[in-house]
Amino acid sequence: MAACKQVSAPDFPPDFPPDPHLFGRLLELNHHARLAVCVFMSELVNGARIAALIDQIARERKRCPNCEGQIFYRHGFANGLQRYRCRSCGVTFNGLTGTPLARLRLKDRWLAFCDCLRDPACTVHSAAAKVGVHPNTSFRWRHRFLCWTKLDRPRTLGGVAEADETFLLESQKGSRQLTRKPRRHGGVARKRGISDELVNIVVARDRGGQTFDFLAGRGALTAEALHTHLLPKLERDIILMSDANAAYSAFARQAQLRHETVNLSQGPRVRDAVHIQNVNAYHSRFKNWLHHFNGVATKYLENYLGWRWAIDLRRIDTAEGFLRAALGVFNSKR
Ligand SMILES: [Zn+2]
């Protein structure tokens, strides 16, 4: 027979409950009232849990958000959070000060919201329904939570790295003032081929799976964009693999990087280890996933790229992990 797990009672203080009839009265409540008490208690527990987590993150960050000072001490509580005072500048702060989540309400629901963000199929409306907020709040929270999460990237790529670009039609979804004529719903580009109607997204991925991406402007890729965005992320002895786009060859030559070209039009797709299949698979996962959202505004595209990286292959696999990234405490080791 399996042994029963021992569940010990919590340590109540000697004067608990303050009202000796408290539990008896709870039992007298009808079903709806008991449910309301349960919801209330659950929000209290979630509020305490998230306050403790935010405080832990503040202590791990080890710096004052105002002056970067590293010596600070406890200075009471405000808005349910531990407050600190910096010894250098005297400013008081908590774990949310200076972050994109500062002044967001309903903290007791944040972890449930982070759980929704971990789900690749999460939509604004499904998250709103699960967490119990308005869809407008769900949308606003999504981009507040992704604002710093998208910065959680590997410091460098090493060994062998593939790079390739993919394109999305520029979108001003949600804008009140369009800078061009509106397209029909589900629009297509007016110009053929690669034009300035298309936003250029470059993804570079090393064979260890570390991934970095950036928006390279509109239209065709330039060596200048690679110098600006990609070069600072590459270790000097890297072997860069790309297709025959001249921008990569010019960039690699100028930056004195070893470069291998996959010529898709002239030969087999894979020549031993010279291929860009990993990065192309990443493109596919990103674009297939974007279909859930019925088009995303270009101004939010970097947030979606960062979100994809966060959930790709379950890199962030807990709600707490997502909250930590949203508050600038990252997983990246390299
Ligand atoms: Zn300070």
Side-chain angles (χ1 to χ4, degrees), residues 36 119-120 150 165 246 261 291 303 318:
D119 176 5
K150 72 167 180 275
E165 70 274 28
T261 302
H291 286 151
N303 284 359
T318 62

Side-chain angles (χ1 to χ4, degrees), residues 108-322:
D108 52 291
R109 301 183 195 183
W110 287 4
L111 284 175
F113 187 75
C114 285
D115 238 356
C116 295
L117 288 177
R118 289 193 312 116
D119 176 5
C122 158
T123 65
V124 161
H125 285 271
S126 66
K130 275 186 191 166
V131 175
V133 295
H134 191 277
N136 290 350
T137 304
S138 172
F139 183 78
R140 196 171 68 251
W141 281 16
R142 172 190 282 179
H143 290 290
R144 290 280 195 96
F145 277 78
L146 294 177
C147 190
W148 279 9
T149 300
K150 72 167 180 275
L151 306 176
D152 183 9
R153 296 313 178 97
R155 290 193 191 96
T156 57
L157 307 182
V160 175
E162 306 169 22
D164 198 14
E165 70 274 28
T166 188
F167 295 90
L168 283 176
L169 193 58
E170 180 268 347
S171 165
Q172 297 183 21
K173 184 179 180 184
S175 282
R176 293 193 179 154
Q177 292 179 326
L178 297 186
T179 58
R180 53 164 168 72
K181 284 186 183 174
R183 298 189 193 104
R184 289 187 174 187
H185 189 67
V188 292
R190 287 193 173 82
K191 300 171 195 167
R192 296 180 64 182
I194 296 170
S195 72
D196 61 3
E197 286 183 88
L198 299 175
V199 180
N200 191 330
I201 303 165
V202 175
V203 177
R205 187 170 172 91
D206 70 21
R207 295 278 162 90
Q210 298 293 330
T211 305
F212 174 67
D213 50 53
F214 63 94
L215 300 185
R218 308 266 195 95
L221 181 64
T222 62
E224 288 73 25
L226 293 170
H227 271 284
T228 306
H229 300 284
L230 187 58
L231 187 58
K233 288 284 181 180
L234 300 181
E235 291 173 6
R236 299 305 300 164
D237 58 351
I238 202 158
I239 302 172
L240 182 67
M241 296 188 178
S242 73
D243 63 16
N245 186 330
Y248 292 105
S249 334
F251 160 67
R253 196 172 52 250
Q254 290 157 9
Q256 299 184 322
L257 297 174
R258 190 171 157 198
H259 179 222
E260 299 277 352
T261 302
V262 186
N263 195 330
L264 300 178
S265 61
Q266 288 181 2
R269 194 169 167 78
V270 179
R271 193 184 76 215
D272 300 328
V274 182
H275 64 80
I276 51 172
Q277 287 188 331
N278 295 316
V279 85
N280 287 153
Y282 193 85
H283 286 167
S284 297
R285 291 203 294 279
F286 177 63
K287 285 185 147 181
N288 289 337
W289 173 70
L290 275 194
H291 286 151
H292 286 294
F293 305 109
N294 296 319
V296 301
T298 298
K299 68 177 177 181
Y300 293 126
L301 203 46
E302 286 182 326
N303 284 359
Y304 287 92
L305 284 164
W307 188 5
R308 181 68 231 176
W309 168 234
I311 61 177
D312 197 60
L313 307 176
R314 296 180 176 272
R315 208 179 59 82
I316 296 182
D317 61 356
T318 62
E320 284 88 349
F322 222 109

Side-chain angles (χ1 to χ4, degrees), residues 63-69 72 86 88-94 97-98:
R63 62 179 191 274
C64 159
N66 184 51
C67 73
E68 303 278 310
F72 48 85
C86 172
S88 305
C89 69
V91 160
T92 57
F93 62 91
N94 62 37
T97 306

